[in-house]
Amino acid sequence: MSVGIVIENLNKTFGTFQAVTDVSFTAEDGKITALLGPSGSGKSTVLRMIAGLERPDYGRISLAGEEQTNKPVQERRFGFVFQHYALFRHMSVRQNIGFGLAVRKESKEAIRARVDELLDLVQLVPFAERYPDQLSGGQRQRVALARALAPRPRVLLLDEPFGALDARVRQELRRWLDDLHRELGVTSLLVTHDQEEALELANEVVVMHLGRVEQIGTPSEIYNHPTTPFVAGFVGAANVIQGHVVNGEVRFGDHQVVRGAEHLDDGAAAQAYVRPHDVRLGADRESPLSFPATVERVSDLGWTSKLRLRFPDGQVVIAQIPNEELGEIGDGDVVQVDLRNAKVFSPDAPEIAPDPEDQFAATG
């Protein structure tokens, strides 16, 4: 791996509040690394320390082996894009993009050439002489990105860049940014609370919670192999099933079984996290992993349906089933269920996934 940014044991307090605690990770050169977490997780504070806008209490920031921790902002050559654009309203698109180059006292010819190049790159050539108030939100964010790229930064820092935009525009800009990054290959750090955004854009994801790193991995590793209850519940929709451990399995009710609890003591309480699309129907009745559930509601969502299932012990899970596999199943039917892809954790952790129906609605 070609090392880009190395973050070692960053800590930051504001008064008596510990905002960031012992955060360490490495961002690969030329790739997008996402800092993903809910509000208050410390991700933006980490980004601001990397940019030089905040000074860490202790810890180390380096780029390609060069110490950055105590360098002033202007010497770091990092481009920064904020959620709310931070464009100069009295300047045209062209003037906004070229502002950083003018501050560096580059020649007018060099500024014009670079701005023309970037206007073409961000597809805003016809809007060069317009002002920010004459642009859409998506266009303004593209101006902000072009302005950050103008000085040819070594690193691009993106702090919730699409957070102020509506869902359709966010999706369009994500695709555009993905294409742009493939073309430029600039090392990028993306701060977001949007799991879909992180999983779609990033090569690696750093999941943060309460100022600490919960897990680091590829989008596939984070989604399919969560290592903590928080990651299992925060990244993607998840049902949480309460049970107890018997011979390395989680049992709930009289017979229902979920495997994968070998790491927990026999008789201990356990929680099984299972994603709606991992709930299997029509399982073999003779299988020890198969048990009945009553269908309480079927909601047709187009190519897929959402099923609300109640187990004999009263617990409820949400299943996401492709309509081509659903058949004639309807409200009130009893079906066989298999939860073999569940991830099992101790309930001692402070974070439990929210209601799966709420999560399913939020993630589609």
Side-chain angles (χ1 to χ4, degrees):
M1 180 179 75
S2 177
V3 173
I5 303 170
V6 177
I7 306 301
E8 299 175 271
N9 302 114
L10 281 190
N11 283 260
K12 180 64 179 179
T13 57
F14 295 100
T16 60
F17 174 64
Q18 184 77 31
V20 174
T21 305
D22 293 330
V23 168
S24 299
F25 64 89
T26 298
E28 188 174 351
D29 186 37
K31 304 296 185 181
I32 296 179
T33 299
L35 301 182
L36 173 65
S39 297
S41 61
K43 56 191 187 298
S44 289
T45 301
V46 170
L47 198 73
R48 291 176 64 83
M49 287 191 283
I50 293 170
L53 301 174
E54 298 284 356
R55 181 70 61 87
D57 296 335
Y58 57 92
R60 185 170 179 267
I61 302 165
S62 61
L63 174 64
E66 182 181 338
E67 181 74 34
Q68 304 288 319
T69 313
N70 296 311
K71 277 190 176 182
V73 176
Q74 60 271 23
E75 292 183 17
R76 298 195 186 202
R77 290 197 54 193
F78 290 176
F80 207 117
V81 180
F82 299 91
Q83 177 177 344
H84 295 289
Y85 324 123
L87 300 179
F88 298 111
R89 297 178 63 184
H90 65 286
M91 292 185 180
S92 67
V93 167
R94 175 178 292 279
Q95 291 169 327
N96 265 286
I97 294 174
F99 177 77
L101 301 176
V103 169
R104 291 170 183 242
K105 302 189 183 309
E106 296 200 18
S107 69
K108 291 182 179 180
E109 293 76 14
I111 293 174
R112 173 169 288 277
R114 180 60 173 162
V115 171
D116 284 344
E117 177 187 353
L118 287 166
L119 284 168
D120 184 57
L121 186 69
V122 300
Q123 303 164 13
L124 288 175
V125 172
F127 304 92
E129 304 310 322
R130 294 193 185 182
Y131 289 85
D133 288 347
Q134 298 173 304
L135 304 176
S136 69
Q139 289 168 335
R140 275 178 276 178
Q141 195 56 287
R142 280 191 273 163
V143 175
L145 280 161
R147 185 179 62 182
L149 290 168
R152 294 182 171 83
R154 301 168 72 182
V155 175
L156 186 61
L157 305 177
L158 305 156
D159 191 4
E160 300 276 8
F162 311 134
L165 305 171
D166 63 44
R168 181 184 61 81
V169 177
R170 284 203 306 270
Q171 290 176 347
E172 290 176 356
L173 275 183
R174 281 206 301 265
R175 289 193 293 268
W176 174 80
L177 180 61
D178 188 36
D179 291 339
L180 183 68
H181 186 268
R182 291 174 189 273
E183 181 176 346
L184 298 178
V186 61
T187 304
S188 302
L189 279 174
L190 168 68
V191 160
T192 181
H193 66 275
D194 186 327
Q195 55 186 275
E196 184 179 332
E197 191 167 283
L199 297 179
E200 180 179 339
L201 287 174
N203 302 102
E204 188 160 74
V205 180
V206 180
V207 183
M208 292 191 62
H209 179 51
L210 298 177
R212 297 178 181 271
V213 173
E214 286 273 334
Q215 185 175 348
I216 300 173
T218 65
S220 177
E221 289 168 345
I222 294 294
Y223 185 83
N224 293 309
H225 305 287
T227 59
T228 70
F230 174 79
V231 176
F234 181 73
V235 182
N239 299 282
V240 184
I241 304 164
Q242 310 292 337
H244 63 281
V245 179
V246 178
N247 296 326
E249 300 172 339
V250 179
R251 301 203 176 191
F252 51 99
D254 294 329
H255 304 290
Q256 293 91 323
V257 173
V258 173
R259 289 180 176 166
E262 296 83 359
H263 59 295
L264 300 179
D265 294 335
D266 219 40
Q271 292 172 337
Y273 285 67
V274 61
R275 303 204 184 281
H277 62 78
D278 280 332
V279 178
R280 302 299 183 197
L281 301 187
D284 180 3
R285 291 175 182 272
E286 302 303 319
S287 169
L289 299 180
S290 173
F291 45 86
T294 301
V295 180
E296 293 193 336
R297 185 172 67 247
V298 177
S299 302
D300 190 338
L301 303 178
W303 70 273
T304 186
S305 286
K306 180 176 72 171
L307 280 66
R308 179 183 172 91
L309 306 172
R310 186 174 295 275
F311 296 152
D313 71 342
Q315 296 194 73
V316 172
V317 300
I318 301 302
Q320 180 184 359
I321 309 295
N323 283 337
E324 62 183 22
E325 299 177 12
L326 190 60
E328 300 300 320
I329 294 174
D331 294 1
D333 289 345
V334 176
V335 295
Q336 292 296 118
V337 175
D338 186 318
L339 304 179
R340 69 181 61 209
N341 287 329
K343 305 297 185 293
V344 178
F345 299 99
S346 167
D348 297 335
E351 285 298 320
I352 306 246
D355 186 281
E357 289 199 79
D358 293 341
Q359 285 191 298
F360 189 92
T363 59

